[in-house]
Amino acid sequence: MSTGTINVAVENIFPLIKKFLYSDHEIFLRELVSNATDATLKLKHLTNIGEAKVDYGNPNIEIKIDKEAKTLHIIDQGIGMTMEEVDKYINQIAFSGAEEFIEKYKDTKGEDAGIIGHFGLGFYSAFMVAEKVEIFTKSFKDEPGAHWSCDGSPNYTLEESDRKERGTEIILHISEDEKEFLEDSKITSLLTKYNKFMPIPIKFGMKTETLPKPEDAKEEDAAPTQEVDNIINNPSPAWTKTPTELKDEDYSSFYRELYPAQFEEPLFNIHLNVDYPFNLTGILYFPKMNQDMQIQKDKIQLYQNQVFVTDNVEGIVPEFLQMLRGVIDSPDIPLNVSRSYLQSDGAVKKISSYITRKVGDKLKSLFNENREDFEAKWNDIKIVIEYGMLTEDKFFDKAQDFMLYPTTDGKYYTFAELKEKLAASQTDKDEKLVLLYASNKEEQHSYIQSATDKGYEVLLLDSPIISHLIQKMETSNEKVSFARVDGDHIDNLIKKDEEAISKLSDEEKETLKTFLATAIPADKFTVQLEAMDSNANPFTITEPEFMRRMKEMQQSGGGGGMFGMGGFPEMYNLIVNTNNELVSEILNTKTAKKKERLVNQALDLAKLSKGLLKGEDMTAFIKRSYDMIK
């Protein structure tokens, strides 16, 4: 037997390990199971190339709890270690970065939960939960087994062991204040979280399996059962296979495995598979989206060689795709991901670009292969596409081929199709194509009707970020502008060469304007007289496109903030149709009371149409309306 002191430049590194990783101490099991997996896969490789003359068999990794002894056991049938290798890998190499570790972190609070991985100290994460750790191991080589023991001080013992089975057993003597790690439910949840898709079967206890009834069994006879190994993980998850090996039901089944509480099927999936210039596999699913962009995040799981790392994929997956679900697995991303690493790493940036391109290609192919189906799914996926166009220039360019613009009557056009279809009818006198749109079909119905009566097409663009997107579209297409149908009266939205003639003389218009200035609150409405079709409403309330758009952009984050729109009062234009009979009646009525009543009624009807009539004003309008029909 040999004893020794681990070569560390301070008295004791173990309190430091506990201090710095306390917030994330559950990762010890991930680290130890990952080591056991590596040991098993190394043996597989050596047997494949003929260097290890042993039978690889069907190895598994077993986790056992002994509550009486207060121990947790991690057992593998992998490559094992000789005495010399234990000394080298446990006592020396594991601590090769210890001095740097201590120097860097001894005076800090240890908020970076990934410290252990940075310094090759994975095995020593065991001391976060154990007061003593033992290793029993035997190499695949024909050499005696070894037994290593350490009680959390720098002192260890290393002696020969009479272990006969190839592989390694690590025994953690769990500390008094970490007894939760002796509970089956806790270990099951950790194995499920971190090791659910490890490539080697992980056994944790036994489970009862129901067998088919024998053919001659009676109906009341209970089905036979048997005790079988409780295998926690799926060693061959869908993303480790090629797309040609999988059918639609395999992708659906894997989605349910990832999200057992999710009952809705995803709309479609994207299988990622690249081995140059980096390694990456994975499957991304498009779930049905709602208009709230925030609640969807943190659903994509990041793995490294089938070991769970995190579900915060910020920096790896472009922001607009973080609303998707699924798995990404890359050996090029370290187990302990820190934000600063992701921001500076070149491989990660390439991964992000690749994922963006792959998603763009998939959406384009879905659009080309079955446009009808793509249109049917549009409302469930548009928020991702629109957000991507806003935040990723390369995606913006690619998405021009499949970004759809629905109309209020249920048709769908691409931008190119819109330009071609509407050029003749909706180009104004300045040679600019005006694309009319509504954000709410019900609330803006009267404005939509005015536009369609003129033969114009009205788009239905109702996502929370549409103001940002149309701003970008206008910047990219200087001869195109978007105008919401309630931004002005229709003839002002698409100005043609012909000038409408007013029935009122200039003097009559001046008289009308003077009266309206006294009857209509100037702090809420800017009155403008317009010669419109005689059948158009007498009063129409509009909100200037620029101001409304800036306010919307500010509300959805960014855009309008610099203009201070948040503090602006609600200001609207009141367009008075000088060719409408009611307006002439208002002008010519001699009785001041009747004149005022007509203005108030016409104004309230315009407010009602715009959705602005509420509270006291609504009550007064209803009473006045009843009085008028008595």
Side-chain angles (χ1 to χ4, degrees), residues 23 44 108 123-124 173 183 204 261 279 355 420 427 438 441 508 603:
S23 64
K44 184 179 185 180
T108 69
F123 164 72
Y124 280 89
H173 297 261
E183 297 299 326
F204 183 50
N279 282 297
I355 293 170
E420 187 180 340
T427 300
K441 198 173 167 180
E508 286 174 317
L603 179 61

Side-chain angles (χ1 to χ4, degrees), residues 512 515-516 538-539 581-590 595 598-599 602:
L512 178 65
F515 169 71
L516 291 174
F539 285 11
E581 282 182 29
L582 179 62
V583 172
S584 295
E585 189 179 345
I586 290 168
L587 177 67
N588 298 318
T589 297
K590 304 300 180 195
K595 208 171 192 151
L598 289 174
V599 169

Side-chain angles (χ1 to χ4, degrees), residues 236-505:
S236 302
W239 84 80
T240 62
K241 299 170 183 173
T242 62
T244 52
E245 295 176 76
L246 300 168
K247 296 176 180 167
D248 287 346
E249 53 263 37
D250 296 319
Y251 287 110
S252 295
S253 172
F254 181 57
Y255 184 76
R256 287 192 294 274
E257 195 175 348
L258 284 173
Y259 309 105
Q262 186 66 38
F263 299 110
E264 273 193 314
E265 286 288 311
L267 299 166
F268 52 85
N269 64 75
I270 299 167
H271 199 128
L272 306 168
N273 197 337
V274 63
D275 52 21
Y276 181 83
F278 48 82
N279 282 297
L280 179 136
T281 54
I283 299 170
L284 294 179
Y285 293 91
F286 265 76
K288 284 193 171 184
M289 297 287 171
N290 60 30
Q291 297 284 55
D292 183 352
M293 299 187 300
Q294 295 306 313
I295 64 167
Q296 299 283 354
K297 291 190 175 182
D298 296 341
K299 298 289 187 183
I300 296 175
Q301 299 174 12
L302 179 66
Y303 287 76
Q304 188 231 61
N305 289 328
Q306 296 175 235
V307 182
F308 176 76
V309 178
T310 180
D311 54 12
N312 179 355
V313 293
E314 189 179 338
I316 298 168
V317 174
E319 189 179 357
F320 79 100
L321 294 176
Q322 288 170 33
M323 293 179 275
L324 304 188
R325 294 181 179 155
V327 164
I328 289 170
D329 189 334
S330 175
D332 294 332
I333 295 168
L335 265 180
N336 298 282
V337 179
S338 68
R339 189 164 295 181
S340 58
Y341 169 86
L342 292 175
Q343 287 169 345
S344 61
D345 187 72
V348 168
K349 287 175 185 164
K350 286 177 186 166
I351 287 172
S352 179
S353 296
Y354 165 78
I355 293 170
T356 300
R357 190 178 77 248
K358 189 78 176 175
V359 169
D361 290 344
K362 176 70 172 184
L363 290 167
K364 188 175 179 181
S365 73
L366 287 169
F367 174 78
N368 290 339
E369 287 163 16
N370 190 340
R371 177 161 177 166
E372 193 178 331
D373 184 56
F374 192 81
E375 289 178 359
K377 290 172 177 169
W378 179 251
N379 281 330
D380 293 313
I381 62 173
K382 66 183 178 187
I383 195 77
V384 176
I385 295 171
E386 290 169 352
Y387 193 34
M389 290 177 74
L390 263 181
T391 54
E392 298 277 336
D393 286 339
K394 285 182 181 173
F395 186 78
F396 178 85
D397 296 336
K398 197 178 277 278
Q400 299 295 337
D401 294 332
F402 53 77
M403 167 73 183
L404 290 178
Y405 297 83
T407 65
T408 52
D409 55 359
K411 298 192 286 283
Y412 291 85
Y413 298 101
T414 64
F415 192 64
E417 290 166 349
L418 274 180
K419 288 199 290 185
E420 187 180 340
K421 176 178 168 57
L422 305 181
S425 59
Q426 291 183 210
T427 300
D428 67 12
K429 63 188 178 73
D430 299 319
E431 296 296 311
K432 187 171 266 196
L433 174 63
V434 181
L435 299 176
L436 301 173
Y437 72 98
S439 61
N440 188 303
K441 198 173 167 180
E442 301 301 318
E443 290 176 9
Q444 293 152 15
H445 184 270
S446 65
Y447 300 89
I448 296 168
Q449 191 68 51
S450 297
T452 53
D453 285 349
K454 288 249 178 196
Y456 296 148
E457 194 79 72
V458 181
L459 307 176
L460 182 60
L461 306 177
D462 58 1
S463 84
I465 56 171
I466 202 64
S467 293
H468 293 274
L469 185 58
I470 60 180
Q471 195 86 353
K472 187 164 184 174
M473 292 298 295
E474 287 172 342
T475 306
S476 307
N477 301 272
E478 62 177 74
K479 281 292 186 182
V480 175
S481 71
F482 286 77
R484 204 167 86 175
V485 283
D486 58 349
D488 207 331
H489 86 77
I490 192 65
D491 293 338
N492 276 352
L493 289 176
I494 304 178
K495 286 190 174 177
K496 301 290 186 177
D497 284 326
E498 60 267 20
E499 194 75 34
I501 298 167
S502 175
K503 288 180 182 177
L504 303 184
S505 68

